[in-house]
């Protein structure tokens, strides 16, 4: 068994591992190529567990940009038949060391509830739950009526500076444990807008008076997509705009031939859970949100 830093040669096997164990997380080849070919930097590590040439475990992480104090997050997977051999421990220790080297003061992971007791050995405690859900976009209901003077447009037709301004508000006001104070425009442009898996044509913004008042941002490929952020600006909440942009995005996804759309929400985010239920999403899995001081 070998635990080593992951490289570009691991891309296809890593995508296959994610698709086999957690397909609803929508890990794309383009996003992994970008990660594994980028210059090495503390806090952006990825590690592979390899047995006789076969990828049997994976860990990757990153810093939550703009968080204060600086938080890290990670993902850890081990094939079921290889669990109980210390692979998860080795991968977790490698990720913790990488995040510490970048100055992270805590690590956050979304984990199968069956691993909560194991994670507690390393100092993790559960703070809440997150629910994953999916839908075939072709089954989305007809969209609500668009309010007067509001227009729904794909990201391909929106000035990224307007989306960045809306995203700054969304990050500060979203539910969750990681609070992001600011994501400077140039960093946001590189990390979000220019991400190779951002599907701009099926990401939708609601525009009013020249501003983005609601949006849904989708990442993925031509087969499936992940709704990574949906938000309405605080002064426009309670008017059904999240439902409007998500429904429009699903219809655009269906037209583009995308067959699976996935999302996740914290258990306390009742408004968005209600939106997803109205849209017809089916719950797939529930994970524990675990946080560990580093």
């Amino acid at each position: 068994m070998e635990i080593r830093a992951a490289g570009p040669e691991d891309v296809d096997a890593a995508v296959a591992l994610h698709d086999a164990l957690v397909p609803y997380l929508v890990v794309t080849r383009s996003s992994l190529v970008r990660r594994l070919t980028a210059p090495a930097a503390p806090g952006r590590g990825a590690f592979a567990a390899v047995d006789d040439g076969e990828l049997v475990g994976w860990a990757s992480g990153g810093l939550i940009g703009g968080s204060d104090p600086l938080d890290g997050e990670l993902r850890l997977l081990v094939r079921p038949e290889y669990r109980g051999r210390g692979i998860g421990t080795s991968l977790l220790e490698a990720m913790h060391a990488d995040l510490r080297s970048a100055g992270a003061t805590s690590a956050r992971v979304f984990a199968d509830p069956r691993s909560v007791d194991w994670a507690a050995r390393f100092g993790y405690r559960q703070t809440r739950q997150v629910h994953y859900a999916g839908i075939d976009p072709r089954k989305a209901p007809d969209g609500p009526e668009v309010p007067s003077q509001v227009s729904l447009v794909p990201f391909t037709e929106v000035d990224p500076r307007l989306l960045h301004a809306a995203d700054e508000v969304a990050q500060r006001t979203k539910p969750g444990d990681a609070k992001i104070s600011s994501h400077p425009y140039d960093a946001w442009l590189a990390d979000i807008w220019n991400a190779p898996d951002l599907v701009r044509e099926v990401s939708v913004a609601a525009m009013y008076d020249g501003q983005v008042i609601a949006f849904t941002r989708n990442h993925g490929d031509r087969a499936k997509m992940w709704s990574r952020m949906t938000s309405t600006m605080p002064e426009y909440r309670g008017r059904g705009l999240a439902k409007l942009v998500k429904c429009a995005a699903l219809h655009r996804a269906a037209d583009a031939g995308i067959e699976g759309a996935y999302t996740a929400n914290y258990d306390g985010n009742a408004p968005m859970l209600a939106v997803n239920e109205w849209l017809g999403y089916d719950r797939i899995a529930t994970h524990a949100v675990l946080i560990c001081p580093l």
Side-chain angles (χ1 to χ4, degrees):
M1 181 67 62
E2 178 187 13
I3 306 292
R4 58 166 173 75
E9 69 277 9
D10 297 309
V11 167
D12 290 335
V15 171
L17 181 67
H18 282 82
D19 284 348
L21 299 184
V22 285
Y24 45 85
L25 293 184
V26 189
V27 172
T28 66
R29 193 177 192 284
S30 63
S31 63
L32 275 181
V33 167
R34 184 195 205 194
R35 168 184 279 273
L36 297 179
T37 57
R44 287 187 52 83
F47 300 91
V50 181
D51 181 40
D52 195 23
E54 180 185 4
L55 184 71
V56 300
W58 181 266
S60 60
L63 301 174
I64 302 176
S67 58
D68 186 17
L70 190 60
D71 293 314
E73 57 187 356
L74 61 94
R75 179 178 300 154
L76 175 62
L77 299 174
V78 178
R79 288 192 181 278
E81 63 270 27
Y82 282 86
R83 293 170 188 167
R85 304 186 190 184
I87 298 171
T89 296
S90 296
L91 289 170
L92 187 65
E93 289 174 345
M95 276 308 319
H96 280 182
D98 183 63
L99 291 172
R100 286 193 196 99
S101 72
T105 60
S106 67
R108 182 182 64 167
V109 63
F110 295 170
D112 187 303
R114 291 172 294 185
S115 65
V116 170
D117 290 342
W118 175 81
R121 303 178 203 168
F122 303 92
Y124 281 91
R125 61 179 180 85
Q126 182 172 351
T127 60
R128 60 183 70 206
Q129 294 185 122
V130 63
H131 304 293
Y132 298 94
I135 187 176
D136 182 335
R138 295 169 296 183
K139 297 181 179 179
D142 293 336
E145 182 178 353
V146 181
S148 175
Q149 298 182 332
V150 172
S151 58
L152 300 181
V153 294
F155 279 17
T156 52
E157 300 175 15
V158 183
D159 182 340
R161 289 191 179 275
L162 297 179
L163 283 164
H164 172 255
D167 192 59
E168 287 279 277
V169 176
Q171 295 291 352
R172 290 196 297 267
T173 59
K174 72 177 184 179
D177 301 298
K179 297 302 181 184
I180 298 175
S181 57
S182 181
H183 197 171
Y185 179 70
D186 287 344
W188 177 90
L189 202 68
D191 297 340
I192 304 299
W193 186 253
N194 291 327
D197 63 343
L198 174 61
V199 193
R200 297 182 192 176
E201 61 267 31
V202 299
S203 299
V204 175
M207 304 291 298
Y208 174 73
D209 196 24
Q211 301 297 316
V212 174
I213 60 173
F215 68 92
T216 186
R217 173 164 53 86
N218 293 301
H219 293 250
D221 53 29
R222 294 301 171 184
K224 55 187 177 180
M225 70 181 192
W226 170 265
S227 178
R228 190 163 293 179
M229 168 61 79
T230 300
S231 183
T232 302
M233 299 302 95
E235 63 270 32
Y236 293 99
R237 289 175 183 167
R239 306 183 190 188
L241 293 173
K243 181 187 294 184
L244 197 65
V245 294
K246 287 202 74 168
C247 193
L250 288 173
H251 284 286
R252 294 186 68 87
D255 291 342
I258 293 173
E259 298 178 355
Y262 300 90
T263 191
N265 297 108
Y266 289 108
D267 53 2
N269 191 358
M272 194 55 67
L273 289 169
V275 167
N276 291 334
E277 183 178 356
W278 180 87
L279 287 167
Y281 278 84
D282 293 318
R283 188 168 296 181
I284 299 170
T286 294
H287 280 183
V289 183
L290 307 177
I291 293 179
C292 172
L294 294 175

